Amino acid sequence: MENIVLIVHLILALALIGVVLLQRSEGGGLGVGGGGGGAMSSRAAATALGKITWGLAALFIVTSITLTVLAAQDSAGTSVIDRLSGEDTGADVTTPDIPDGDGLLPPPSSDEPLVPPRAD
């Protein structure tokens, strides 16, 4: 189910990008493009591309919310920090073996100069 919604979501995103790029520039944003046709009215005319844009945007938001709900249902009841700390939270989650702190630190610095490795 999640894969189907994700594919529809991606198709809507591409369609929304295409429809927005097809629309005529109204200007104002950068001070270029557009014409003086709508200068006397405060509301732009509702074109077919404008209606399609609004419809695609609404469907895009619906699929975004649907994907969020589906992902929340599949998520674990504990956080990543709880799983790493090894505390018993009641869930059957196996904690991975965490290396000791020495393996994660860089080597200690010494007074000797760094030497490139030899190619023997």
Side-chain angles (χ1 to χ4, degrees):
M1 176 71 181
E2 189 174 353
N3 288 336
I4 294 171
V5 177
L6 183 61
I7 290 171
V8 170
H9 187 70
L10 293 175
I11 291 171
L12 284 172
L14 293 174
L16 189 59
I17 290 170
V19 169
V20 168
L21 289 176
L22 285 175
Q23 291 181 9
R24 186 174 68 97
S25 173
E26 296 294 328
L30 296 175
V32 296
M40 296 303 286
S41 66
S42 61
R43 186 171 174 213
T47 63
L49 283 177
K51 290 179 182 179
I52 292 172
T53 303
W54 278 106
L56 289 174
L59 289 173
F60 185 81
I61 291 171
V62 168
T63 56
S64 296
I65 293 172
T66 305
L67 284 171
T68 302
V69 170
L70 290 174
Q73 289 175 351
D74 294 339
S75 67
T78 60
S79 72
V80 175
I81 302 298
D82 291 339
R83 284 187 261 162
L84 289 178
S85 65
E87 296 175 4
D88 186 20
T89 58
D92 291 336
V93 178
T94 58
T95 57
D97 293 332
I98 301 172
D100 58 349
D102 294 336
L104 300 176
L105 298 175
S109 62
S110 63
D111 293 336
E112 299 174 14
L114 295 177
V115 185
R118 297 180 59 166
D120 289 339

